Amino acid sequence: MDSDIRIDTKTVHQKPVDYPVHPISTPIFSSSTFVLEDADHGARLSSLQPAEGKSKYLYSRWGNPTTDVAADMINQLESGHRTFVAATGMAAISTSLFSLLKSGDHLVAATNIYGGTYEVVTKVLPQYGIEVTLVDGTKPEEFERAIRPTTRVIYAETPANPTMSISDLATIAELGRLNGIVTMVDSTFASPYNQNPIQFGFNMVLHSATKYLGGHSDIISGSITVDGEELEKKVFQTLKLFGGTMSPFDAFLLIRGIKTLAVRMERHNQNALAIAQFLESHPKVSRVYYPGLESHPQHELVKRQMRGFGGMIAFEVEGGMNAAKKLIENVKIITLAVSLGGVESLIEHAASMTHTMVPKEERERAGITDGLIRLSVGIESAEDLIQDLKQVLATI
Ligand code: PLP
């Protein structure tokens, strides 16, 4: 820098880093904007034209090298056309819905979906003149019956939060294809390790990457994977204008989490199956919901569309609400907290915590009784977790 430049300018303008370097881990590009080589470069990127031989980055709400690495990793895992990462799972869900629905359009959504999504489809979308029909996510015939000429999106979640009910991916995708309707699924509970909805014909796959993809309970994040160019354009437009894009700092942690997804999921799958079997055989447990159990009413369907059964279990204890509260307050290794998909086991009471915004009759229809406990099985020793549950079950 010239010696006659004043201190105010020197503090702001550092010497440019002499790239390239080849770090083994992805750097955090915490830059809101990117240097343009000339005016034409800026004009081309601003009008979404390629800039041959020049950087493709303009402004981080539109795209950022660190968040792009996270998005590409998820895209590989889901075998998508393109993946976008979002600030939260809810940003991914609302961005996806708003990219496709406008006033006068109709949405068919499963009732058994995450509580926040339920609020968006039942309270927010109707405020914008979007009509919504809720159906039982386990019954493809209900989705079919609800279709109207104005239906633009079919929305499902599988396995569904919290009772592990399953939507038939191939049948619902075919319904969408035959009727020219976009099919969208929240695949958070499965993670891309256990299930890839695009392989069954779904058009869009959403994740709360806060959960298994991140895997360490240290970020809030989301992802949207699309199967083609038309959806790519619509989602990109809404994401950059609504602004629910991911921070590069979160993307760094997400990338680090994804690197161990396979080994973590392997352990989540094994631990959860062992715990579900233990709970099913326990006299004080009246009901266990786990896709990997033969007693799961849709176990055959589960085996057709999932490679592993995941780490999420829901169960009911004898003694209803009081017994459920006693259990979640007295476990010692398992921690009382909402959320899921991290390395540590977490337990919560669905009706009063994650699903309190769903009306009681609706909850009960979806199997979310007052005695229902949701357990996110971590990667600790399965024996220690079983011992922890055994000691509390003995006291209730
Ligand atoms: N989808 C599912 C299945 C969830 O469980 C959650 C949160 O718990 C969300 C979406 C929302 O994700 P986030 O909290 O990352 O916004």
Side-chain angles (χ1 to χ4, degrees):
M1 206 172 287
D2 296 348
S3 53
D4 56 354
I5 284 182
R6 288 165 186 78
I7 189 161
D8 325 48
T9 309
K10 281 185 183 164
T11 53
V12 173
H13 291 266
Q14 70 283 67
K15 190 166 167 279
V17 178
D18 189 15
Y19 294 119
V21 289
H22 301 285
I24 194 76
S25 82
T26 308
I28 303 173
F29 285 90
S30 64
S31 196
S32 57
T33 192
F34 298 90
V35 179
L36 298 164
E37 288 187 29
D38 48 42
D40 180 60
H41 184 195
R44 292 188 74 79
L45 295 182
S46 301
S47 55
L48 302 176
Q49 303 296 312
E52 289 303 323
K54 292 176 181 162
S55 156
K56 64 175 184 175
Y57 294 103
L58 176 74
Y59 183 61
S60 274
R61 178 158 45 75
W62 292 40
N64 169 285
T66 314
T67 61
D68 273 3
V69 171
D72 287 345
M73 287 171 90
I74 298 171
N75 202 48
Q76 297 289 325
L77 301 177
E78 286 293 8
S79 306
H81 166 75
R82 170 106 186 252
T83 294
F84 297 93
V85 283
T88 68
M90 286 312 299
I93 292 164
S94 52
T95 297
S96 301
L97 291 167
F98 278 110
S99 3
L100 290 160
L101 293 165
K102 60 177 185 335
S103 174
D105 287 346
H106 177 238
L107 163 76
V108 181
T111 314
N112 21 343
I113 47 178
Y114 171 62
T117 317
Y118 184 89
E119 276 198 280
V120 169
V121 304
T122 57
K123 295 191 185 145
V124 182
L125 296 185
Q127 287 173 355
Y128 294 88
I130 297 159
E131 296 182 338
V132 179
T133 305
L134 292 176
V135 298
D136 181 339
T138 65
K139 297 189 174 132
E141 64 278 14
E142 286 201 13
F143 284 93
E144 185 166 19
R145 266 201 302 274
I147 291 173
R148 303 178 190 167
T150 52
T151 308
R152 299 284 170 262
V153 176
I154 291 178
Y155 187 97
E157 180 178 312
T158 187
N161 194 359
T163 55
M164 315 303 143
S165 61
I166 306 295
S167 290
D168 183 334
L169 291 172
T171 308
I172 297 170
E174 183 64 1
L175 259 183
R177 199 186 60 77
L178 291 174
N179 292 281
I181 300 168
V182 172
T183 44
M184 217 180 260
V185 63
D186 182 335
S187 191
T188 299
F189 270 36
S191 90
Y193 186 75
N194 287 327
Q195 170 175 286
N196 294 124
I198 287 179
Q199 284 177 356
F200 294 90
F202 258 71
N203 304 116
M204 294 176 73
V205 184
L206 316 179
H207 285 282
S208 166
T210 309
K211 320 298 184 195
Y212 290 108
L213 283 162
H216 295 76
S217 312
D218 51 8
I219 48 166
I220 300 283
S221 57
S223 71
I224 308 165
T225 302
V226 296
D227 70 347
E229 214 171 303
E230 203 183 318
L231 290 173
E232 175 188 3
K233 283 195 186 126
K234 289 184 173 163
V235 170
F236 175 66
Q237 168 89 344
T238 312
L239 188 61
K240 84 177 163 61
L241 294 179
F242 277 31
T245 32
M246 180 180 281
S247 140
F249 289 90
D250 286 342
F252 173 80
L253 289 172
L254 179 55
I255 293 164
R256 192 156 86 155
I258 294 171
K259 286 182 184 175
T260 57
L261 180 74
V263 285
R264 284 186 287 106
M265 288 316 300
E266 203 56 40
R267 185 66 169 259
H268 284 297
N269 289 349
Q270 280 169 11
N271 278 2
L273 182 61
I275 291 168
Q277 286 166 341
F278 158 74
L279 289 170
E280 196 169 42
S281 67
H282 199 286
K284 292 203 178 140
V285 176
S286 45
R287 182 128 197 214
V288 183
Y289 299 90
Y290 182 65
L293 289 177
E294 283 185 15
S295 58
H296 188 287
Q298 297 164 290
H299 188 59
E300 287 310 309
L301 171 61
V302 167
K303 286 195 286 186
R304 285 205 296 278
Q305 64 186 38
M306 296 181 78
R307 288 184 292 272
F309 308 126
M312 295 303 297
I313 301 175
F315 63 101
E316 259 172 36
V317 281
E318 299 286 356
M321 174 84 98
N322 286 343
K325 277 195 174 157
K326 190 163 181 198
L327 189 144
I328 61 175
E329 284 174 356
N330 287 288
V331 276
K332 295 192 163 53
I333 295 172
I334 303 168
T335 305
L336 173 57
V338 296
S339 199
L340 60 120
V343 290
E344 56 291 290
S345 295
L346 302 180
I347 202 158
E348 66 114 9
H349 181 241
S352 68
M353 298 177 188
T354 44
H355 289 70
T356 181
M357 59 292 269
V358 180
K360 192 170 164 67
E361 324 86 76
E362 208 60 78
R363 274 205 310 264
E364 292 194 338
R365 214 173 312 138
I368 310 167
T369 58
D370 285 349
L372 192 77
I373 293 168
R374 191 184 77 178
L375 174 62
S376 169
V377 179
I379 63 165
E380 304 95 331
S381 142
E383 286 74 27
D384 287 344
L385 297 173
I386 289 173
Q387 203 45 47
D388 197 17
L389 290 164
K390 208 184 255 178
Q391 58 87 20
V392 197
L393 283 166
T395 68
I396 61 173

